[in-house]
């Protein structure tokens, strides 16, 4: 699969950056940049032009001072001004195209990383914080944008200036140039050694920045809880601590970079000063012409400045390499839940039969606790089964496994006779609609939130689903109807309205299997009645599994299974289970006595 020219499937990315590859991590960035050869060629041509024009200035100065230009003074200065004009225009062109490549590359990398993240199973995000991942998509891509849009251009410009300047120095005077070159190894060695330390501290600094972003998202998302428990001061102190840790990490990196820059500039310009002291005597003796000395010194300053700047941009490149490494880790991540090479097609027409056969499961992050133990259950097409039990009994785990967000450790789960691992997960999920207890409303319009169940649905179909979900009335009263922005997390809606919007989404899905994690437990009586009516319409003719937290909602269920510690401990109707005096009867007695 290709997206905006960036390959996001597994095989082309097997050569993505691995930890510890230093500047090699930037190969991922280079592959993204190379998708735009035209812009890259123009940027490089402009870069070569600016470098050539800069170095040519010293040659013209030499010819003018020595009076050997052959052009005359006025024409020589005209040529000089013309060269300055070329330099200015080429610099503007280079800046535009290099900046364009930086922005385009960052956009492509962000899209590629996000596309790959969407392939990963939900379990992966239990071990990797989404807020920290979001930081990689912002802070780390900003480092890459700076590298492509500024740092690499500066590095190439200074590298070309340095190499071209050295060649010009040898042309002016090989002996003096040779003396100048003796100090190059003295310059390069500390650059390499300190650069390694900069890279390590850069990665650490970026990790601390990610922690800051994750903490900010976590706290701001729970603002009501923070303020309700008067924890503003504690959260401020906790955030300040994270910021301080980030500052300490950045300070180490800055200190090493400052030392590296100081050493390079001191060595370069110190050597240049000694060289100038030596050449003044040669000019007095007539060995070197004044023009040659001026050109040599000017070119030496350019070379020294170029190599000095390289010491700074090297640190920036190392930071970008650390960012590319972190993003590369996300790009090469492969989903643990994926379609087999030759998936088995689910039978048509869909029936909605469900089977759990001796299923055992432990969550990857909680291997010490069994979520399901030897669990078996058959649900006939069109049947409604209620699942009850105390917290932690394994009720929600059934939904997670049925949607194949996880695979069981043993046993088999099948829909319409097809084992889930044999089918395409996308095909499985198309046969399931879910209404969760905690409704997810996206920061988008009401239309987009409802048609999440079927993105290609017409407005008539959307309104029909809203009518069936008892949501049409309040939707029509919104300022812009279906086009009204719902706010982040549905902040503009009440709890009952959010639930009815979620039911409309499930109705539009029109799937043969319906999963209900009781959607009425936190609603007032009026909202509960409207939601319950909508749910009854939604359940009609569908295979339905209902997680019931309040037993009053499942009295009329044809079959109730009672779970405890990952097992089915009782099964029957409300009346038969209540008569047995077991766990269900105890839960019922507790809830109904509290209600009374």
């Amino acid at each position: 699969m290709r997206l905006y020219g960036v390959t996001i499937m597994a095989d082309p990315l097997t050569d993505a950056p691995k930890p510890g590859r230093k500047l090699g991590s930037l190969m991922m960035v280079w592959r993204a940049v190379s998708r735009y050869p035209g812009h890259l060629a123009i940027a490089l041509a402009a870069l070569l032009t600016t470098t050539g024009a800069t170095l040519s200035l010293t040659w013209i100065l030499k010819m003018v001072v020595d009076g050997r230009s052959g052009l005359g003074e006025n024409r020589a200065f005209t040529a000089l001004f013309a060269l300055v004009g070329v330099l200015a225009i080429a610099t503007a062109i280079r800046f535009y195209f290099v900046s364009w490549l930086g922005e385009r590359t960052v956009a492509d990398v962000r899209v590629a990383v996000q596309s790959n993240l969407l392939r990963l199973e939900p379990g992966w995000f239990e071990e990797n914080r989404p807020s920290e991942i979001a930081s990689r998509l912002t802070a780390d891509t900003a480092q890459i944008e700076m590298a492509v849009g500024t740092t690499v251009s500066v590095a190439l410009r200074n590298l070309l200036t340095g190499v071209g300047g050295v060649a010009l120095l040898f042309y002016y005077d090989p002996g003096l140039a040779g003396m100048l070159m003796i100090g190059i190894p003295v310059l390069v060695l500390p650059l390499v050694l300190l650069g390694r330390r900069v890279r390590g501290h850069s990665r650490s600094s970026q990790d601390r920045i990610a922690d800051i972003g994750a903490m900010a998202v976590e706290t701001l998302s729970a603002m009501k809880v923070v303020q309700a428990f008067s924890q503003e001061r504690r959260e401020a102190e906790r955030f300040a601590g994270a910021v301080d840790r980030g500052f300490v990490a950045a300070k180490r990196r800055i200190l090493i970079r400052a030392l590296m820059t100081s050493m390079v500039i001191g060595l370069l310009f110190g050597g240049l000063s000694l060289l100038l002291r030596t050449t003044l005597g040669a000019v007095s003796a007539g060995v070197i012409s004044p023009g040659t000395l001026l050109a040599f010194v000017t070119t030496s300053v350019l070379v020294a400045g170029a190599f000095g700047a390289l010491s700074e941009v090297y640190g920036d490149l190392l930071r970008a390499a650390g960012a590319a490494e972190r993003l590369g880790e996300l790009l090469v991540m492969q989903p643990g839940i994926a379609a087999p090479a030759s998936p088995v097609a689910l039978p048509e027409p869909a029936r909605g039969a469900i089977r759990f056969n001796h299923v055992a499961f432990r969550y990857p992050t909680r291997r010490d606790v069994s979520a399901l133990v030897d669990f078996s259950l058959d649900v006939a097409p069109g049947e409604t089964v209620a699942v009850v039990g105390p917290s932690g009994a394994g009720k929600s785990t059934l939904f997670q496994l049925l949607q194949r967000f996880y695979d069981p450790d043993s046993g088999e789960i099948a829909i319409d006779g097809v084992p889930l691992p044999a089918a395409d997960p996308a095909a499985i999920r198309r046969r399931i609609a879910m209404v969760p207890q905690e409704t997810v409303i996206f920061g988008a319009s009401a239309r987009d939130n409802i048609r999440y169940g079927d993105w290609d649905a017409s407005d008539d179909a959307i309104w029909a689903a809203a009518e069936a979900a008892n949501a049409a009335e309040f939707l029509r009263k919104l300022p812009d109807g279906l086009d009204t922005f719902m706010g982040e997390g549905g902040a503009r809606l009440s709890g009952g309205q959010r639930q009815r919007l979620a039911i409309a989404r499930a109705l539009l899905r029109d799937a043969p299997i319906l999963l209900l994690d009781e959607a009425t437990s936190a609603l007032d009586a009026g909202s509960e009645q409207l939601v319950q009516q909508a749910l009854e319409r939604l359940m009609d003719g569908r295979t339905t599994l209902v997680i019931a937290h309040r037993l009053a909602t499942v009295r009329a269920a044809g079959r109730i299974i009672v779970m405890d510690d990952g097992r089915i401990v009782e099964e029957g109707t409300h009346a038969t289970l209540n008569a047995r005096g077991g766990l269900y009867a105890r839960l019922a007695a507790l809830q109904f006595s509290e209600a009374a």
Side-chain angles (χ1 to χ4, degrees):
M1 176 181 177
R2 297 171 71 85
L3 198 55
Y4 294 108
V6 179
T7 305
I8 62 172
M9 291 300 287
D11 292 344
L13 288 171
T14 53
D15 58 342
K18 302 294 190 300
R21 284 180 55 179
K22 303 172 186 169
L23 290 180
S25 301
L26 292 174
M27 284 303 299
M28 177 195 75
V29 180
W30 166 249
R31 287 196 297 274
V33 172
S34 63
R35 308 287 181 186
Y36 306 98
H39 290 75
L40 185 59
I42 294 174
L44 289 175
L47 181 63
L48 288 170
T49 301
T50 56
T51 302
T54 301
L55 293 175
S56 297
L57 290 173
T58 65
W59 173 261
I60 292 179
L61 287 174
K62 175 183 183 301
M63 303 303 291
V64 169
V65 171
D66 286 345
R68 297 198 301 249
S69 65
L71 299 174
E73 184 176 323
N74 290 335
R75 298 176 101 184
F77 277 101
T78 300
L80 185 63
F81 284 121
L83 197 60
V84 170
V86 169
L87 178 62
I89 295 171
T91 299
I93 294 173
R94 175 187 60 81
F95 176 80
Y96 173 81
F97 282 95
V98 167
S99 298
W100 187 97
L101 284 169
E103 295 290 346
R104 183 68 265 172
T105 298
V106 164
D108 289 348
V109 169
R110 281 176 177 158
V111 169
V113 171
Q114 174 73 353
S115 299
N116 195 54
L117 289 173
L118 291 173
R119 300 167 56 225
L120 303 180
E121 69 280 5
W124 186 83
F125 294 94
E126 290 184 11
E127 302 179 57
N128 300 271
R129 294 181 299 171
S131 53
E132 194 273 340
I133 295 168
S135 175
R136 296 194 190 193
L137 285 172
T138 52
D140 286 354
T141 50
Q143 288 291 333
I144 291 176
E145 190 278 331
M146 185 179 72
V148 178
T150 303
T151 307
V152 171
S153 173
V154 172
L156 287 175
R157 184 187 68 201
N158 284 290
L159 182 62
L160 290 172
T161 300
V163 173
V166 168
L168 203 55
L169 289 174
F170 275 99
Y171 174 80
Y172 291 145
D173 193 301
L176 290 177
M179 293 175 58
L180 191 64
M181 292 304 104
I182 293 175
I184 293 297
V186 180
L187 168 69
V188 172
L189 185 60
L191 182 68
V192 173
L193 295 178
L194 290 175
R196 293 177 180 175
R197 297 197 65 182
V198 169
R199 179 177 177 274
H201 287 298
S202 295
R203 174 71 188 244
S204 175
S205 179
Q206 287 163 297
D207 287 341
R208 300 294 76 74
I209 292 172
D211 291 341
I212 292 169
M215 189 177 296
V217 171
E218 179 185 60
T219 303
L220 296 177
S221 299
M223 185 57 67
K224 291 180 181 178
V225 176
V226 172
Q227 294 182 353
F229 287 91
S230 303
Q231 292 295 321
E232 295 94 333
R233 181 175 178 179
R234 176 187 174 277
E235 290 300 336
E237 291 173 350
R238 194 164 71 100
F239 185 78
V243 171
D244 285 342
R245 288 191 292 274
F247 174 71
V248 169
K251 190 166 62 173
R252 295 193 194 102
R253 170 179 53 81
I254 294 169
L255 180 62
I256 296 175
R257 284 194 61 184
L259 177 62
M260 183 168 63
T261 303
S262 175
M263 289 179 63
V264 170
I265 291 178
L267 289 170
L268 272 174
F269 285 95
L272 185 59
S273 299
L274 290 174
L275 186 65
L276 183 60
R277 175 71 180 83
T278 303
T279 54
L280 286 175
V283 173
S284 301
V287 177
I288 300 176
S289 70
T292 299
L293 176 60
L294 177 61
F296 193 92
V297 171
T298 304
T299 304
S300 298
V301 170
L302 290 175
V303 171
F307 283 110
L310 279 175
S311 68
E312 293 188 29
V313 299
Y314 183 57
D316 290 333
L317 286 175
L318 288 172
R319 292 189 70 188
E325 183 179 293
R326 284 160 51 90
L327 289 167
E329 290 169 359
L330 299 180
L331 272 173
V332 300
M333 193 63 60
Q334 295 300 307
I337 303 293
S342 301
V344 176
L346 295 174
E348 295 288 351
R351 297 170 57 243
I354 299 171
R355 186 180 191 195
F356 289 83
N357 185 30
H358 299 289
V359 172
F361 176 69
R362 297 170 185 256
Y363 284 97
T365 55
R366 292 166 281 168
R367 299 302 298 174
D368 57 327
V369 178
S370 293
L372 291 180
V373 180
D374 196 27
F375 181 90
S376 295
L377 175 68
D378 285 290
V379 183
E383 183 183 9
T384 296
V385 176
V387 184
V388 303
S391 178
K395 304 185 296 296
S396 296
T397 300
L398 300 181
F399 286 12
Q400 302 277 348
L401 293 174
L402 192 58
Q403 295 174 93
R404 210 186 166 207
F405 294 152
Y406 302 91
D407 281 331
D409 298 324
S410 62
E412 181 183 85
I413 306 171
I415 291 179
D416 287 342
V418 177
L420 298 192
D424 187 340
I428 294 167
R429 293 161 191 164
R430 280 194 294 269
R431 298 210 167 183
I432 299 173
M434 182 174 180
V435 180
Q437 182 181 12
E438 297 181 2
T439 305
V440 174
I441 300 296
F442 296 95
S445 66
R447 174 185 283 103
D448 286 353
N449 269 285
I450 294 175
R451 68 174 181 158
Y452 217 77
D454 179 4
W455 197 256
D456 298 321
S458 65
D459 275 8
D460 289 340
I462 292 172
W463 277 116
E467 289 281 1
N470 285 336
E473 182 179 355
F474 81 80
L475 286 174
R476 288 193 177 95
K477 293 179 180 178
L478 294 174
D480 298 313
L482 289 177
D483 293 318
T484 303
F485 180 68
M486 297 289 94
E488 186 174 354
R492 297 186 177 185
L493 303 176
S494 68
Q497 290 171 336
R498 286 195 292 269
Q499 289 290 10
R500 281 176 276 164
L501 213 61
I503 293 170
R505 180 189 298 163
L507 279 161
L508 201 62
R509 180 76 161 175
D510 195 23
I513 297 174
L514 176 63
L515 306 180
L516 299 177
D517 191 351
E518 187 171 79
T520 62
S521 59
L523 303 180
D524 59 75
S527 296
E528 180 177 359
Q529 184 179 11
L530 290 172
V531 171
Q532 194 61 48
Q533 291 171 356
L535 287 174
E536 289 171 3
R537 298 189 189 102
L538 179 59
M539 293 165 63
D540 186 34
R542 293 180 171 85
T543 304
T544 306
L545 283 179
V546 184
I547 292 179
H549 302 282
R550 295 197 300 180
L551 303 186
T553 62
V554 298
R555 285 179 170 180
R559 182 159 57 127
I560 302 170
I561 64 169
V562 184
M563 295 185 64
D564 193 20
D565 291 331
R567 298 177 173 85
I568 296 178
V569 295
E570 292 179 306
E571 184 174 350
T573 64
H574 171 74
T576 58
L577 291 173
N578 212 24
R580 288 178 189 169
L583 176 59
Y584 182 87
R586 293 195 298 274
L587 292 173
L590 179 63
Q591 289 193 17
F592 296 148
S593 63
E594 289 178 349

